[in-house]
Every structure is written in C-alpha cells, then in structure tokens.
Amino acid sequence: EIVLAQTPLSLSVSPGQPASISCKSSQSLLHSDGTTYLYWFLQKPGQPPQPLIHVGSNRFSGVTDRLSGSGSGTDFTLKISRVEAEDVGVYYCMQSIQLPLTFGGGTTVEIK
Amino acid sequence: EVQLVESGGDLVKPGRSLTLSCTAYGLNVGDIAMSWFRQAPGKGLQWIGFITSKASGATIRYDASVKDRFTISRDDPKNIAYLQMNSLKNDDSAVYYCTTGAFDSWGQGTLVSVSS
C-alpha cells in the first residue's frame, strides 16, 4: 500500500499570505503512461471533499488560479499564493496509481 | 450539471445489512467509473471500491478491509450505483460518499451509524 505523508499537520496563515503543503509518497506516482496519479482535495466542515488538482498539477474546472500543484515522482506540493477566508479547511492528497487508493492524513488550514 | 445524490444511510445494529444508493444526474453511470469512499467521524478519507464503465467491462475492485462484506453494483437504466454492506461492524460507522471515476464530482454523503 502506498503511504502518503502530508506536512504540516496544520497551518495558520494571515490573509493575503502564501501557504504551502507537502505530500510525500512512499512510491513514485509517475505511471509508465506518463501520467502522475496525484490529486488534491479541500474539505470544508460538514461538506464533501472538493476536487482541486488532478494529475499532480492540473486544476479542476472552476478552481481558483491562486492554487497550484507541483512536484513529480514522490514529492508534491500544493501552494496557495494568497490565502483567503474561503481557503479554510482540511486539504488531502490522494494517489490513484495503485490499489488501494490512499490519502494523506490531511492538513488543516486556518486563518490567523 | 453533474449531481450525485447518496441515500440509504441509517442507524443499524452490528451484524445487520444496509444498501446505499448513489443516484446520478447529468451523466450516465454506465459510461463512467464510479467510486465509493467513506469518512469515519473526525477521521480522514478511505477508499472503499469502484466499478468501471460498461465499455471497460464493469470491473469491480475493493479495499481489503471490506472485500468480503461489501458489494458494489450498478443499475444503468435507473442511473444508480449501489453499495451493499453486510455484516456491519461498529467501525463501519462513517459518512459514505460516491464519486465519479475522475473524482471531479462528489455526492453530499450519507451517514451510516452502526451501534447496538
């Protein structure tokens, strides 16, 4: 089973400041087809996860360009260029290159 | 617009069975893969399993923790995906979500509570 280690566990950010979340995988998420099977989701309290990033760096439709995903192989990062109130919640990375699909433990982002 | 609506969550006793439904709007469930996830209270997300599209052979895969107790199926004419859960345990208590295969649409979830 692929283990995804997310850091930090929580983040307190002032509005307008940047934030960065790391997701490190125990195995490479780069498939032989050239696709990187890494996703990012945001879950706000009482809501289902919202898809943010797929294939490591592509934003899902409608996702703000303040969010960006980067990385390759086993090391990935989600960056928020300027944190706003709507960015509060728990961020999860997920891999789908190998079954079972697995998630990172989550990073809670709050506004200072 | 794509919408997924889960239903069927309930309070049940250990050992009992329950079937959850995921009704899709704006897409044909037979044309895509559908996945089920769950989230125990205060915990992270866990993948349960998926069913692939008709064109891909409607292949079904499960997480090892539910493989012998849970069954995923689909009724294409009704446009509904199902998660049948047998021999429920206290640890199965969670909010259950269905999603599209690309994980770009999620339902609101349905709560399953297992307790005596």
Side-chain angles (χ1 to χ4, degrees), chain A residues 1 39 41 43 46-51 54 60 92 94 96 99-105, chain B residues 35 37 39 43-47 50 61 63-64 97 101-109:
Chain A
E1 172 172 320
Y39 295 77
F41 300 91
Q43 188 172 33
Q47 295 186 21
Q50 300 175 13
H54 62 107
F60 278 98
Y92 293 98
M94 183 193 82
S96 65
L99 297 184
L101 307 189
T102 51
F103 289 85
Chain B
S35 290
F37 293 85
Q39 186 171 36
K43 302 295 184 184
L45 295 157
Q46 180 192 6
W47 173 73
F50 66 66
R61 294 287 184 267
D63 184 79
Y97 298 102
F103 315 111
D104 53 351
S105 290
W106 292 63
Q108 285 297 310

Side-chain angles (χ1 to χ4, degrees), chain A residues 11 13-21 52-53 59 63-70 77-88 91 109 111:
Chain A
L11 212 45
V13 187
S14 299
Q17 293 302 301
S20 180
I21 300 169
L52 300 176
I53 301 287
R59 282 185 293 273
V63 173
T64 175
D65 59 7
R66 293 184 297 102
L67 266 65
S68 63
S70 63
T77 302
L78 178 71
K79 291 181 180 174
I80 310 174
S81 58
R82 301 173 309 280
V83 170
E84 297 182 2
E86 67 181 28
D87 300 326
V88 165
Y91 289 78
V109 172
I111 297 292

